Amino acid sequence: MLELLPGPEGLDETCAVYTVESACLIGGDAALSVLVRYRDHESRAVRNRLGHHWDRFDTGTYANEVIRHLLEAGRTDVVVRTPDELATLSRLGSYTDVTVSGDLSPAQIRSGLDERKLRNLELRHASVTDLSFLGPYRNLRRLHLQDCLELSSLASLHGIPLGVLVLNNLPALEDISSLRALAGTPLECLFLPENARDLSVLAEFPSLNELRLMLNSPVSRENWRFVTSLPELDSLFLNLDELTDLASNGIRLEKMRSVALVVQDRPSADLRDVVAVFPEMTGLNVYFAEELDLAPLAAHPRLKRVNTFTARLLNAHELPAGIHLVAPGPPHSDE
């Protein structure tokens, strides 16, 4: 099968990503010769896939044949899962973007990653309970915390000038008031944990321009006020329940230009609500819908781009020529 994998010449980015992913999943020495062909690929998405599958190859060989070249290309995310991989990455030296996944202790992370180099860190670490070991990382600009099941406070992030903070699956962080430790930082993008409740802390971040809600409990009218009061906010991720709540309460978010709607556990969404709530949006992404009727979008005065991913589409022909529809996947239906 490896002999049948093409490229990289003549492949678009999507096909190149899938080809690399296929070879990585097969793994082993034979797959390595395929991946070497892609290590200098101009697409960061392709290079990131190479950086995510170190664990399927001999650590030293993969470091010399692939990881070293990725780091030389710059801005490539490398995943480390073992002390050996972390030590090898430390010796290679020129990293900036690292994902730590696995049972690595804070002390190992601290000794393995140079605070002068690290710019973007994704921490997928169930046993981390305290972030104080990140204190010296004053060049850190993006932090993604995922599956840190016992982490209950962000207070240790005080003084780190983050621009992006992503919080995913942090069940002990229902109270997000410790975010105030980052008040005064240039935070522009915040992904809230789904169990967040009181959103008053958002008032501390007037520089926010991108926010992800997608909470697992209803957003109160008072909490919506904290969202709508953010002066720079123009990009919003929300779920279908939050959209329905906004529409039923007559709340209009007139500053939003980019909207991402996640349709969870339901086959479709009523896009009339999107039109009513976001009168100034220019871009709309709809995730995980099985079917969408696009007819309501035809009357939107500002909309320029719609991405529906793999949804089956109804009435796509009603969209005016000025709206660019990105809809890969199954054939569309205009019935």
Side-chain angles (χ1 to χ4, degrees):
M1 182 173 177
L2 287 166
E3 295 176 356
L4 301 177
L5 293 178
E9 296 80 9
L11 297 185
D12 61 24
E13 181 182 66
T14 300
C15 290
V17 168
Y18 285 137
T19 301
V20 166
E21 182 76 6
S22 298
C24 286
L25 291 175
I26 294 170
D29 293 342
L32 187 60
S33 62
V34 175
L35 300 179
V36 166
R37 305 201 304 258
Y38 286 85
R39 66 190 181 187
D40 298 316
H41 201 282
E42 62 181 12
S43 165
R44 187 179 178 188
V46 172
R47 299 197 308 272
N48 281 349
R49 296 322 302 160
L50 292 170
H52 279 220
H53 288 291
W54 199 346
D55 59 320
R56 293 183 174 269
F57 303 87
D58 175 77
T59 299
T61 302
Y62 198 72
N64 289 327
E65 295 296 323
V66 177
I67 299 294
R68 185 187 304 276
H69 294 267
L70 297 178
L71 297 179
E72 290 173 356
R75 293 307 307 275
T76 298
D77 184 35
V78 177
V79 179
V80 294
R81 298 174 177 86
T82 67
D84 191 22
E85 291 174 357
L86 182 60
T88 302
L89 180 66
S90 181
R91 288 194 295 270
L92 291 176
S94 56
Y95 55 85
T96 60
D97 302 14
V98 179
T99 293
V100 176
S101 178
D103 193 19
L104 293 168
S105 70
Q108 288 172 316
I109 297 170
R110 178 69 188 87
S111 63
L113 298 178
D114 191 329
E115 67 269 16
R116 295 167 297 179
K117 298 175 181 177
L118 195 62
R119 298 293 184 274
N120 302 286
L121 174 64
E122 181 172 345
L123 193 61
R124 294 175 175 264
H125 205 313
S127 62
V128 168
T129 59
D130 181 15
L131 298 175
S132 58
F133 73 97
L134 294 179
Y137 291 89
R138 297 306 171 104
N139 292 321
L140 197 61
R141 295 296 177 266
R142 184 183 187 276
L143 177 62
H144 182 161
L145 301 173
Q146 174 90 32
D147 302 329
C148 301
L149 304 183
E150 298 180 23
L151 182 67
S152 60
S153 175
L154 303 171
S156 300
L157 298 179
H158 175 72
I160 301 177
L162 293 175
V164 177
L165 178 60
V166 178
L167 305 171
N168 279 330
N169 193 27
L170 308 175
L173 194 66
E174 180 176 317
D175 179 3
I176 60 171
S177 62
S178 60
L179 271 171
R180 288 187 169 85
L182 289 170
T185 63
L187 194 64
E188 295 182 349
C189 175
L190 175 62
F191 281 28
L192 292 174
E194 63 179 10
N195 52 315
R197 297 293 181 265
D198 180 6
L199 305 188
S200 60
V201 70
L202 294 179
E204 304 288 344
F205 304 103
S207 58
L208 275 180
N209 57 46
E210 183 174 357
L211 177 68
R212 186 196 67 178
L213 295 175
M214 293 174 52
L215 307 182
N216 57 17
S217 63
V219 179
S220 68
R221 180 172 285 273
E222 180 67 9
N223 277 332
W224 279 125
R225 185 178 68 81
F226 293 119
V227 174
T228 59
S229 297
L230 291 167
E232 301 297 326
L233 189 66
D234 65 3
S235 179
L236 184 67
F237 284 67
L238 75 169
N239 62 34
L240 189 54
D241 287 337
E242 289 159 349
L243 174 64
T244 302
D245 182 50
L246 286 168
S248 63
N249 285 286
I251 301 174
R252 289 161 56 94
L253 301 181
E254 299 190 5
K255 292 182 293 186
M256 298 304 150
R257 300 293 186 270
S258 177
V259 176
L261 176 63
V262 179
V263 181
Q264 296 170 312
D265 303 322
R266 273 170 262 179
S268 187
D270 188 344
L271 297 183
R272 290 178 298 180
D273 289 343
V274 179
V275 174
V277 174
F278 303 107
E280 297 295 323
M281 85 177 162
T282 57
L284 172 65
N285 292 331
V286 183
Y287 296 92
F288 306 124
E290 296 176 13
E291 181 177 281
L292 286 171
D293 182 357
L294 300 182
L297 299 179
H300 197 287
R302 299 283 187 268
L303 192 59
K304 300 297 182 185
R305 179 190 54 79
V306 178
N307 195 337
T308 62
F309 301 93
T310 58
R312 177 176 178 267
L313 303 182
L314 305 178
N315 298 314
H317 68 284
E318 295 192 19
L319 294 182
I323 296 179
H324 177 56
L325 177 62
V326 182
H332 307 151
S333 170
D334 291 327
E335 298 174 358

